[in-house]
Amino acid sequence: MSKEKMMADQIAERIGGLTNTSKVYNCMTRVRIDLNDPSQVDVEALKAIDGVLGVVEDGNNLQIIVGPGASTKVATALNDLRGVSHTEQIQENLDPELTQSNDVSQRAASNKADFKAKQKDNGFKRFTRIIASIFVPLIPAFVGAGIIGGIASIIQNLITSGNISAENWGQILLVLKIIQSGLFAYLNIYVGINAAKVFGATEGLGGVVAGVIYLTGMAPEAPLMNIFSGQPLSPGQGGIIGVIFAVYLLSIVEKWLRKVIPNSLDIIVTPTIALLITGLITIFLIMPLAGVISTSLVGTVNKVLEVGGAVAGFILGATFLPLVMFGLHQILTPVHIEMISSTGATNLLPILAMAGAGQVGAAIALWIKARKNQQLASMIKGALPVGILGIGEPLIYAVTLPLGRPFITACLGGGVGGAVIGALGNIGATAIGPSGVALIPLIANGRWLGYVFGLLAAYAGGFVLTYLFGVPHEATLATELHGSSSNLDVNEMLNNL
């Protein structure tokens, strides 16, 4: 029997049997199980299974972290036991650090899972998970289209400055812009489909409702009017925020209709009435209101950055890591997208990216001062490369957060970098997804050098503050690589903060 099948047998035994499952599927690193009765799960016994790196309880959804590759095999084995021939996979990587096969991956995943398991669930956290579920599948598209758009901008600038000729490069520029627009021109529809999946509506209907916001077919000389202002409605007004509201409304209407419409008429009546009701409300109510919200939100953020400058940058850069730690940073994703849609770039993302850079500086300081602690040094060596590339979870959960003080000095280091970005001003990113060094190709309008200055300032700030004030005495004690180390368990970690 393979290891994955053995794990499946043990998991089934510890979750109250297969009759306690309504659905088993997987993402890149986790086996996800929808439970009928979560109280039957023995979480501690699950964690003790060989190969299980952590367990996250999320209401009726149980997430068992087993790592890339193994998640697919274990989920398939569980479904084989359930008599289900197809295992659904979602392309979501909540544990990017597990792509690195070293000790720090397991330590970070375990600490992260334990920490999140101790958090109390509430409506706001559930909302952030919904936002994450809608946008995470689109992040690769944002990155790819954003980089292509950045290359197109460089070519456009070179043509404008006369360094290259439009005759030779014009067609290349056109092709790149066409590829880029494949995402951004129809972004509402992609978001609508994902939102429908999350809210439990028909995905195709979600895409259609999102497409309504483009007001396709409306003649400019005979526009529909905003019932509040009396001004013509603009195609795309309300943007992503309007799409999410509209598809949520669609899910409510569709679920209600399916309860009252006879099965024989459902395929015809339900989608027709659902689209008609939701479409009318979207055009005449959601679009005007969401338009005000999105415009005000983008304007407020840009105004704060413009007026606040270095102070605003410091506060945002210093407070972003705690948001990441509690998983609340996903709430900012629609804000970034609205800023990109409205102005061509998000000036917020480069500042927030400084938080991860502060961690890199803090980790280097720890590495130097605690070099006798071989186990801690090993953790840092494993986490630093991905931290520099903008993947911060290994440094958070395996290095700085368990030690307490380095986490605080890392946050302050991020604030230093944020202050530099804020002081320079007008440094934005054309897409969301990466941070750290990986964000450099996405910096808009050739302002990448200012972003690099911010990174270096955050590295230096995190390093100096941690070196002087952030290294606990126990972290400097000599340990063997596999001996007891100064890395604290999760309970001690929480007490230190």
Side-chain angles (χ1 to χ4, degrees):
M1 180 183 295
S2 69
K3 178 181 178 181
E4 288 77 17
K5 289 183 179 179
M6 292 177 62
M7 290 176 65
D9 288 337
Q10 295 174 55
I11 289 171
E13 179 183 343
R14 290 161 173 78
I15 61 174
L18 295 174
T19 56
N20 192 33
T21 65
S22 60
K23 183 180 180 181
V24 177
Y25 53 111
N26 69 281
C27 60
M28 290 182 67
T29 59
R30 305 182 182 201
V31 177
R32 297 173 174 233
I33 304 174
D34 290 344
L35 299 165
N36 298 320
D37 182 6
S39 65
Q40 296 186 32
V41 176
D42 188 340
V43 174
E44 294 305 317
L46 279 174
K47 292 179 181 179
I49 296 175
D50 182 30
V52 171
L53 305 178
V55 177
V56 178
E57 298 173 273
D58 186 9
N60 285 350
N61 182 252
L62 184 70
Q63 300 173 21
I64 305 172
I65 304 172
V66 296
S71 61
T72 302
K73 295 177 181 179
V74 174
T76 300
L78 278 168
N79 275 325
D80 287 343
L81 293 173
R82 297 172 66 234
V84 176
S85 59
H86 174 70
T87 299
E88 179 184 348
Q89 300 180 35
I90 57 177
Q91 296 302 311
E92 180 177 11
N93 187 4
L94 298 180
D95 307 284
E97 66 273 16
L98 293 184
T99 58
Q100 306 292 317
S101 56
N102 50 35
D103 291 340
V104 68
S105 303
Q106 297 188 18
R107 178 66 61 90
S110 179
N111 283 354
K112 180 178 180 180
D114 287 342
F115 179 78
K116 287 188 177 294
K118 293 177 183 293
Q119 298 180 46
K120 292 183 179 180
D121 200 15
N122 56 47
F124 183 71
K125 290 179 182 176
R126 287 192 292 272
F127 176 69
T128 62
R129 287 197 297 269
I130 288 172
I131 295 298
S133 298
I134 292 173
F135 288 103
V136 164
L138 288 171
I139 284 179
F142 284 127
V143 175
I147 290 177
I148 290 171
I151 296 172
S153 297
I154 293 172
I155 294 175
Q156 180 69 71
N157 292 338
L158 292 174
I159 291 175
T160 303
S161 64
N163 291 312
I164 59 177
S165 69
E167 182 179 351
N168 293 332
W169 289 87
Q171 288 292 314
I172 295 175
L173 176 62
L174 178 61
V175 169
L176 292 178
K177 286 186 173 181
I178 289 173
I179 295 173
Q180 179 194 19
S181 68
L183 171 65
F184 292 106
Y186 307 103
L187 181 59
N188 286 349
I189 294 175
Y190 304 134
V191 173
I193 292 171
N194 284 354
K197 185 175 183 180
V198 171
F199 293 136
T202 300
E203 294 174 34
L205 295 181
V208 173
V209 166
V212 165
I213 290 179
Y214 291 118
L215 299 179
T216 304
M218 184 185 75
E221 61 274 11
L224 294 171
M225 293 298 177
N226 185 322
I227 62 174
F228 298 104
S229 67
Q231 299 299 313
L233 285 172
S234 302
Q237 188 172 339
I240 298 299
I241 294 174
V243 169
I244 293 173
F245 285 149
V247 176
Y248 178 67
L249 173 64
L250 169 70
S251 69
I252 295 174
V253 173
E254 187 178 359
K255 290 172 184 176
W256 177 78
L257 287 172
R258 294 200 186 282
K259 291 180 181 179
V260 299
I261 300 297
N263 291 339
S264 58
L265 300 175
D266 179 74
I267 188 63
I268 298 173
V269 175
T270 297
T272 303
I273 296 179
L275 279 179
L276 185 59
I277 293 174
T278 308
L280 288 171
I281 295 176
T282 297
I283 293 171
F284 294 107
L285 185 61
I286 292 178
M287 284 184 67
L289 292 178
V292 172
I293 293 172
S294 60
T295 302
S296 301
L297 194 59
V298 172
T300 299
V301 171
N302 284 330
K303 194 66 176 178
V304 167
L305 295 178
E306 179 184 342
V307 175
V311 175
F314 179 85
I315 293 172
L316 290 168
T319 56
F320 187 59
L321 274 186
L323 289 180
V324 175
M325 183 180 73
F326 287 102
L328 303 180
H329 59 297
Q330 303 290 355
I331 192 66
L332 296 173
T333 301
V335 179
H336 292 311
I337 295 174
E338 278 301 315
M339 294 179 76
I340 293 170
S341 177
S342 302
T343 66
T346 166
N347 291 345
L348 186 60
L349 182 59
I351 291 177
L352 300 182
M354 296 300 104
Q359 279 219 116
V360 170
I364 294 173
L366 276 170
W367 195 2
I368 292 174
K369 290 202 72 173
R371 56 187 176 276
K372 294 181 180 179
N373 186 333
Q374 294 184 24
Q375 188 167 2
L376 179 59
S378 176
M379 292 286 178
I380 294 171
K381 283 191 293 184
L384 261 180
V386 293
I388 292 171
L389 292 174
I391 299 174
E393 284 86 351
L395 284 175
I396 293 177
Y397 292 103
V399 180
T400 61
L401 187 58
L403 291 170
R405 273 192 284 162
F407 180 77
I408 296 172
T409 53
C411 289
L412 295 175
V416 172
V420 171
I421 298 288
L424 292 173
N426 296 318
I427 297 176
T430 59
I432 63 172
S435 60
V437 173
L439 188 60
I440 293 175
L442 297 177
I443 298 301
N445 302 319
R447 303 272 293 170
W448 62 270
L449 192 57
Y451 176 74
V452 171
F453 285 152
L455 276 179
L456 295 176
Y459 292 157
F463 176 86
V464 172
L465 291 169
T466 303
Y467 192 89
L468 296 178
F469 310 109
V471 181
H473 172 69
E474 66 270 19
T476 64
L477 300 178
T479 64
E480 297 297 329
L481 185 58
H482 298 292
S484 60
S485 79
S486 63
N487 289 294
L488 311 179
D489 64 22
V490 174
N491 291 327
E492 292 175 301
M493 170 188 76
L494 295 174
N495 291 333
N496 283 338
L497 298 179

